[in-house]
Amino acid sequence: MNQSHSTSSSNRRNLIYIATGLAITIAALMLRIYQIGQDELWFDEAFSFYMVTISKWPDALLRDNNPPFYYVLLRAWIGIFGQSEAAIRSLSAISGALFVAAMFWLTNQFFDRGAALLCGIFSALAPIQIYYSQEARVYALLLLFIVLAYATLLRGLATDSLRWWVLFSVCVLLALYSHYFAILALIPTVVLIGLWPHPEKSPRVWLRYSISAGIALLLFAPWLIWTVPKISESLATIDWIRDLWMQTGPLLALPKSIEGFTLGSQAEFTSLINVKRFGELLFPQSLRLVGLTAAAILLMATMIPRHSGSNLRPWGSITVWLWITLLFPLLGLCAVSFYRPIYAVGRYDILAFPAYALLLASGWSRLRDGGKIGAFLAAFVALALFIPVGVKLVKYYSAPPDDYARPTARALLEYVRNQDVLVLSRSRAKTTIYYLIRMGYRWEDGTCNDGAAGHKFTCLMFPPDSPLPVAAATGSKHVFSVEDWSRKLLGQLQSTDGVLWMVFDGDILPDGRLQARRPLSTLIKLFESSRFRAVPIDSEYGIVEFQR
């Protein structure tokens, strides 16, 4: 009778636990869907759209400097759900919600149900996770595959089942085909094998791990060999990473990443995710300190000695692995950035977020298990963490949505006439084209055409679409000639009565002069030397007319 009652009680607790995990995952999905289409696409998202709808396949994939899996998936996704902002981003929203479920599952394997609940809630609410789950880029999907790789590896170690080792290999392969930097999050899995508690099984475990990881690497090798030269040359042309690295400062990179993981970003905080709403948020300093202090307490609590009754080693060994998994990607990016800057707070450092969330859950569990005082302290610290996170989310959702490219496209249609030539510069090009397409235009072979309205004009990106669009400015061996491009464009204008327009992405000074980086500054000088005078028509949206 007692045994039956115990079984019934255990089943009830299991159902409650599963229902709670499901509720957290559904809540995470709702948070990611809420207002998902209100912000306009920014440059990176418009690039994703451009890659999967306008670029010529498969040439575009082979010329790009990123692995292809996300683009292939997004192309199919857009074909089913459409081209709206919400539709394009919904793939990331679902990936983000599944990431929360995967974190819930992974934490339960590492620690216990209490830790899994806290980790699941934190992963669901973390502002940086909300951001990437509402962005049409690969990062939400990438984190999902990384966490699934960790979880399937653990299941393979625990069960010694071939099925889990195969799934581990598949997750590693998908992570690598999602982003090259996935390797920084996957390398620490080697350490986990060394921490596994069954020495007598060590040779077989190492063999299975080596085969599983080796197959994934072998299948990824052809793509990597094809693109290695392009990766190196492409990184040399990305000046915004260098600028962000200089603004951040090497000594502050890791602390800023940890703050970004905890509370997201806000105004005057150097982070890539400030390109949308976070850049406008004013967050109380007192709440910021409360949230960061709570996170620091949980991280320090991971050092409290404790042993687990699970089938893994004592928690101390797992904690060591989590710290390595947290620090390895961050220190690796930091070290490489002294040679060639690639560390961008709020971007590639996101690889370390799963380990960070797991460490917070580990610290919380150790506090909780410290008797009555420990349980009270754990509850208090959790509250001190989640209140600032909740306030940051309220401010995030309350901030006015970003709206710049949409009105730019509308304004252009008031100015640009048939036979005119429009030059879309650098970061403004793909966002403007996206919204022209949403307004009924087709962009093809450098022409914007609305057949129904009878409106057609030349619509060119500068620098033109290529694997290395700023090669001339960087001294790359793949030279793009601004002079030749300008000469061809001006020759086209001479044969018509059209007007030359530009959507400008530099600074318009009070006296009307244009300030820009190369190669755009070179192009403007060539226009001026050909007796075209730049006249800002709409300085707010960077619309400039070059009058003869």
Side-chain angles (χ1 to χ4, degrees):
M1 187 72 169
N2 288 336
Q3 183 176 0
S4 175
H5 177 74
S6 175
T7 301
S8 177
S9 178
S10 176
N11 290 337
R12 190 181 304 111
R13 286 195 298 270
N14 289 339
L15 288 174
I16 293 174
Y17 172 72
I18 293 171
T20 303
L22 182 60
I24 292 172
T25 302
I26 293 173
L29 180 60
M30 295 299 102
L31 287 171
R32 284 148 177 77
I33 290 176
Y34 182 59
Q35 297 186 358
I36 193 172
Q38 289 197 16
D39 288 281
E40 67 180 20
L41 297 192
W42 76 289
F43 174 80
D44 278 11
E45 294 179 294
F47 180 81
S48 295
F49 174 81
Y50 179 86
M51 277 292 296
V52 303
T53 60
I54 299 174
S55 295
K56 296 179 180 179
W57 279 44
D59 292 349
L61 294 179
L62 297 175
R63 292 189 295 110
D64 191 59
N65 56 16
N66 289 302
F69 182 69
Y70 173 74
Y71 294 133
V72 172
L73 197 58
L74 183 63
R75 183 179 176 93
W77 190 270
I78 288 177
I80 297 172
F81 297 103
Q83 298 183 352
S84 70
E85 294 92 340
I88 295 171
R89 291 169 174 153
S90 59
L91 173 60
S92 294
I94 292 175
S95 298
L98 292 175
F99 165 78
V100 173
M103 286 294 289
F104 196 91
W105 177 36
L106 177 60
T107 313
N108 188 47
Q109 291 188 70
F110 267 133
F111 305 122
D112 54 38
R113 292 179 175 182
L117 289 173
L118 182 124
C119 189
I121 294 171
F122 178 72
S123 299
L125 297 178
I128 195 170
Q129 290 299 320
I130 300 290
Y131 175 89
Y132 277 114
S133 295
Q134 294 188 332
E135 179 169 86
R137 294 297 284 169
V138 69
Y139 302 103
L141 187 69
L142 171 64
L143 287 186
L144 172 61
F145 289 139
I146 287 172
V147 173
L148 288 176
Y150 295 160
T152 51
L153 174 59
L154 278 175
R155 295 306 301 157
L157 291 171
T159 65
D160 202 27
S161 169
L162 179 61
R163 175 184 61 179
W164 292 111
W165 287 108
V166 170
L167 288 175
F168 168 67
S169 184
V170 170
C171 291
V172 169
L173 182 64
L174 292 177
L176 291 172
Y177 268 104
S178 296
H179 203 285
Y180 296 110
F181 287 166
I183 193 66
L184 294 175
L186 295 171
I187 286 176
T189 58
V190 177
V191 179
L192 185 60
I193 303 299
L195 293 172
W196 189 244
H198 302 301
E200 71 280 2
K201 297 181 180 179
S202 182
R204 185 169 63 186
V205 166
W206 277 109
L207 179 61
R208 294 204 171 194
Y209 173 81
S210 300
I211 292 174
S212 300
I215 289 174
L217 291 172
L218 186 64
L219 293 175
F220 182 63
W223 180 269
L224 185 62
I225 293 170
W226 173 268
T227 56
V228 160
K230 300 176 183 172
I231 297 169
S232 177
E233 292 176 349
S234 178
L235 286 174
T237 69
I238 304 178
D239 49 16
W240 63 263
I241 295 184
R242 182 182 63 252
D243 294 343
L244 195 60
W245 170 249
M246 297 300 295
Q247 294 172 28
T248 301
L251 296 179
L252 294 177
L254 267 67
K256 283 189 174 182
S257 289
I258 296 301
E259 179 172 353
F261 294 166
T262 310
L263 297 173
S265 189
Q266 62 268 338
E268 300 181 357
F269 182 85
T270 305
S271 173
L272 186 65
I273 64 175
N274 277 9
V275 295
K276 290 195 277 191
R277 299 188 189 193
F278 279 124
E280 306 297 324
L281 295 187
L282 298 176
F283 193 64
Q285 185 71 7
S286 57
L287 278 179
R288 175 174 171 264
L289 291 176
V290 168
L292 294 179
T293 300
I297 291 173
L298 292 178
L299 290 177
M300 289 187 291
T302 62
M303 307 302 176
I304 298 174
R306 177 193 165 173
H307 291 266
S308 171
S310 70
N311 61 346
L312 296 179
R313 274 187 174 237
W315 280 21
S317 297
I318 300 305
T319 299
V320 169
W321 180 76
L322 290 175
W323 276 105
I324 292 172
T325 307
L326 170 68
L327 294 175
F328 183 81
L330 300 181
L331 293 176
L333 291 170
C334 192
V336 173
S337 293
F338 284 100
Y339 165 68
R340 179 168 290 170
I342 57 173
Y343 198 120
V345 173
R347 175 57 68 89
Y348 307 131
D349 57 349
I350 197 71
L351 293 165
F353 180 88
Y356 178 72
L358 284 161
L359 282 169
L360 294 184
S362 172
W364 181 83
S365 288
R366 297 187 191 208
L367 286 179
R368 178 204 60 192
D369 293 341
K372 292 183 178 180
I373 295 178
F376 172 79
L377 183 59
F380 180 79
V381 173
L383 194 63
L385 174 65
F386 287 128
I387 287 177
V389 169
V391 172
K392 176 63 72 70
L393 284 183
V394 170
K395 287 183 169 291
Y396 173 80
Y397 288 122
S398 301
D402 188 37
D403 198 23
Y404 191 68
R406 278 180 288 213
T408 298
R410 286 194 293 266
L412 282 172
L413 297 183
E414 296 179 7
Y415 298 123
V416 182
R417 305 303 177 198
N418 290 345
Q419 305 303 317
D420 285 358
V421 174
L422 172 64
V423 176
L424 302 168
S425 59
R426 200 183 288 266
S427 62
R428 305 291 305 282
K430 292 180 175 64
T431 53
T432 305
I433 288 173
Y434 170 75
Y435 284 103
L436 287 172
I437 290 173
R438 292 293 308 280
M439 294 173 186
Y441 283 76
R442 290 187 60 191
W443 188 87
E444 189 174 9
D445 296 328
T447 300
C448 289
N449 183 16
D450 183 354
H455 192 197
K456 181 179 180 180
F457 54 92
T458 300
C459 189
L460 301 172
M461 292 190 294
F462 181 86
D465 183 40
S466 67
L468 298 168
V470 293
T474 61
S476 170
K477 62 183 179 180
H478 299 277
V479 176
F480 159 68
S481 173
V482 181
E483 290 78 7
D484 290 347
W485 194 87
S486 171
R487 192 179 302 113
K488 183 178 180 181
L489 172 62
L490 295 177
Q492 177 182 338
L493 272 173
Q494 290 175 356
S495 63
T496 68
D497 294 326
V499 176
L500 176 60
W501 300 88
M502 177 180 287
V503 176
F504 181 67
D505 68 352
D507 295 322
I508 300 178
L509 302 180
D511 61 2
R513 289 185 296 118
L514 308 183
Q515 271 191 346
R517 292 181 173 182
R518 294 179 63 192
L520 182 58
S521 61
T522 303
L523 180 67
I524 292 171
K525 288 178 181 179
L526 290 170
F527 287 165
E528 292 172 343
S529 66
S530 299
R531 300 182 181 180
F532 281 84
R533 182 171 62 92
V535 179
I537 300 299
D538 193 329
S539 297
E540 181 180 2
Y541 299 120
I543 299 176
V544 177
E545 179 185 358
F546 285 85
Q547 298 178 355
R548 308 190 195 207

